[in-house]
């Protein structure tokens, strides 16, 4: 059974930094794209950043220059380094991965349960 588990969220002051991690575990054959999404109260979930298996990245405009997504393929882990945090970055952050589980023939998207990031003074 495949699981994605996020960690690294918390309370931080405006201008501060946090590093989120998301580790995939279980019977995994291959992981393709990995991504971070976020959902603030009363708002729709939005894609923050994603990274392909080859390292190509995408960022939503609101985080460009402040957030960096990376991955460690050997550890099946994706990271999100968040710098210069703003109150509007407050949200629950979720990772997801497009992966091929063992004994299956089609990749699927799996989601973690989320980690809360609160930016406040």
């Amino acid at each position: 059974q495949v699981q994605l588990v996020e960690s690294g969220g918390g309370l931080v002051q405006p201008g501060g930094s946090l590093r989120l991690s998301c580790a995939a575990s279980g019977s995994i054959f291959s992981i393709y794209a990995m991504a971070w999404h976020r959902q603030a109260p009363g708002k729709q979930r939005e894609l923050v950043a994603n990274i392909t298996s080859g390292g190509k990245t995408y960022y939503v405009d609101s985080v460009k220059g402040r957030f960096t997504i990376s991955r460690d393929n050997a550890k099946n882990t994706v990271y999100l380094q968040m710098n210069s945090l703003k109150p509007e970055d407050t949200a629950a952050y979720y990772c997801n991965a497009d992966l091929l589980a063992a004994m299956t023939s089609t990749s699927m998207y799996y989601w973690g349960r989320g980690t809360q990031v609160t930016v406040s003074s």
Side-chain angles (χ1 to χ4, degrees):
Q1 187 171 354
V2 175
Q3 282 189 317
L4 272 64
V5 179
E6 302 98 335
S7 61
L11 172 64
V12 63
Q13 292 187 342
S17 299
L18 283 175
R19 188 191 194 209
L20 305 183
S21 301
C22 173
S25 63
S27 300
I28 298 169
F29 183 77
S30 185
I31 300 179
Y32 306 115
M34 303 184 83
W36 288 96
H37 299 247
R38 67 186 178 187
Q39 187 167 18
K43 295 188 177 181
Q44 288 189 329
R45 189 173 296 189
E46 67 168 349
L47 172 65
V48 176
N50 67 17
I51 184 168
T52 67
S53 56
K56 185 175 181 180
T57 59
Y58 162 85
Y59 298 94
V60 69
D61 285 347
S62 59
V63 307
K64 284 181 180 177
R66 300 188 298 121
F67 291 10
T68 302
I69 189 170
S70 61
R71 62 191 284 173
D72 184 333
N73 292 329
K75 295 182 178 180
N76 289 342
T77 299
V78 62
Y79 305 97
L80 186 68
Q81 177 67 45
M82 305 185 294
N83 299 328
S84 302
L85 282 160
K86 304 175 181 180
E88 50 263 44
D89 294 317
T90 295
Y93 283 71
Y94 300 88
C95 73
N96 82 337
D98 178 17
L99 65 84
L100 181 65
M103 306 300 289
T104 65
S105 59
T106 305
S107 68
M108 292 178 57
Y109 284 95
Y110 292 81
W111 288 86
R113 293 189 174 185
T115 184
Q116 179 67 34
V117 172
T118 303
V119 185
S120 175
S121 55

